[in-house]
Amino acid sequence: MTGPASFLMTRRAAIAGGAGLMLAASAPIPLAPEARADPSSSIKGQETMTYITANDGTQIFYRDWGPRDAQPIVFHHGWPLTADEWDAQMLYFLDKGFRVIAFDRRGHGRSGQTETGNEMDTYAADVIALADTLDLKDAVHVGHSTGGGEVVHYAARATPGRVAKLVLIGAVPPVMVKKDSNPGGTPLEVFDGFREALSTNRPQFYLDVASGPFYGFNRPGAEVSEGLIRNWWRQGMQGSAKAHYDCIKAFSETDFTEDLKAIRLSVLVMHGDDDQVVPFEASAALTVEIMSNATLKVYEGASHGMAATMAGRINEDILGFLQSS
């Protein structure tokens, strides 16, 4: 996606042309020592649902697999998805001996659907609560899209010793929206179009995103996966319309520049050069210039959803990064 102005024509043009879809940053947030795990808070069918309780009482759903003494990898999903986005990664890294954790952001999936708190400071506070409750040490945090913004906003505030490395996949930082300090960004009108589409017909909007720019299925000759489309739609429709609406502002307007500057950890930045949702030149290319210890890996022809469409390669590259010094 190279012409943000082309998004201004119609709602469908905005979707098909691709533009931003994720989350963003601000001020320090308090730790969450009172957060607690409640591993049997509810049962649906045969699945026990595990939660931690955030500072404001919101229940945050999570999965935690693998040896408790193994290095943890925490996966942060994109908008408007859930922990289920990471199935391929969870199974792969579990098999490699890691402890793997994925959670549903508040307002998404099985977590509490709060009316307020759907912004980056609260998202990062929820991650602090999760890390404190599970007592995670030297964890690797992997974030896709909006989840990438959440990762850097958290890491810049994390308790020393909690975080070892970061992986950003198709991530939204430094900032998505076009403004004087970010002339290459996506015009605000595009995100206004997202809000209108969500308010008018959320099911159709989500179907259009999943079957079009997210996985690059709108490209000539694309190998379309109906399963991926349906699974994306299923995850999106689990969440709260209010939270998803608010999250558009969070992922598009939060400026993560100061977070990126503050992080001294080793970071792997992974991005497709045909990402129609979070264009490479306005995101990853700038992120690695700002961060002090970031390595960039660009995937030719890859879409925003490359962690699913090319999971094998992405998983191997992340493992190589984790095994490097």
Side-chain angles (χ1 to χ4, degrees), residues 173-174 257 260-261 269 280-281 283-296:
T257 301
L260 298 177
K261 291 179 179 178
V269 178
F280 167 75
E281 294 294 343
S283 55
L286 300 178
T287 290
V288 295
E289 293 181 3
I290 297 170
M291 301 195 85
S292 63
N293 192 18
T295 300
L296 175 64

Side-chain angles (χ1 to χ4, degrees), residues 147-280:
E150 181 178 82
V151 162
V152 300
H153 205 53
Y154 161 71
R157 294 154 173 77
T159 301
R162 290 282 188 218
V163 185
K165 291 183 175 183
L166 307 178
V167 178
L168 307 179
I169 305 175
V172 297
V175 60
M176 290 199 70
V177 73
K178 182 178 182 179
K179 53 184 180 177
D180 291 345
S181 60
N182 187 40
T186 301
L188 179 62
E189 292 86 350
V190 173
F191 303 112
D192 288 341
F194 291 167
R195 282 181 275 263
E196 180 186 357
L198 189 153
S199 300
T200 303
N201 190 342
R202 184 167 66 133
Q204 187 60 52
F205 176 46
Y206 286 0
L207 185 61
D208 291 341
V209 172
S211 60
F214 194 92
Y215 296 113
F217 292 156
N218 56 341
R219 294 306 197 202
E223 184 177 342
V224 177
S225 168
E226 186 68 21
L228 282 180
I229 294 170
R230 293 187 184 190
N231 193 41
W232 198 102
W233 187 90
R234 175 190 65 83
Q235 291 178 67
M237 293 306 297
Q238 278 186 289
S240 159
K242 176 64 165 61
H244 291 175
Y245 186 97
D246 292 348
C247 190
I248 294 171
K249 181 180 178 67
F251 72 65
S252 65
E253 297 184 38
T254 304
D255 192 331
F256 298 97
T257 301
E258 295 306 313
D259 294 328
L260 298 177
K261 291 179 179 178
I263 293 170
R264 297 290 181 264
L265 303 166
S266 181
V267 182
L268 176 62
V269 178
M270 314 170 81
H271 217 101
D273 68 0
D274 192 34
D275 189 326
Q276 302 171 69
V277 176
V278 181
F280 167 75

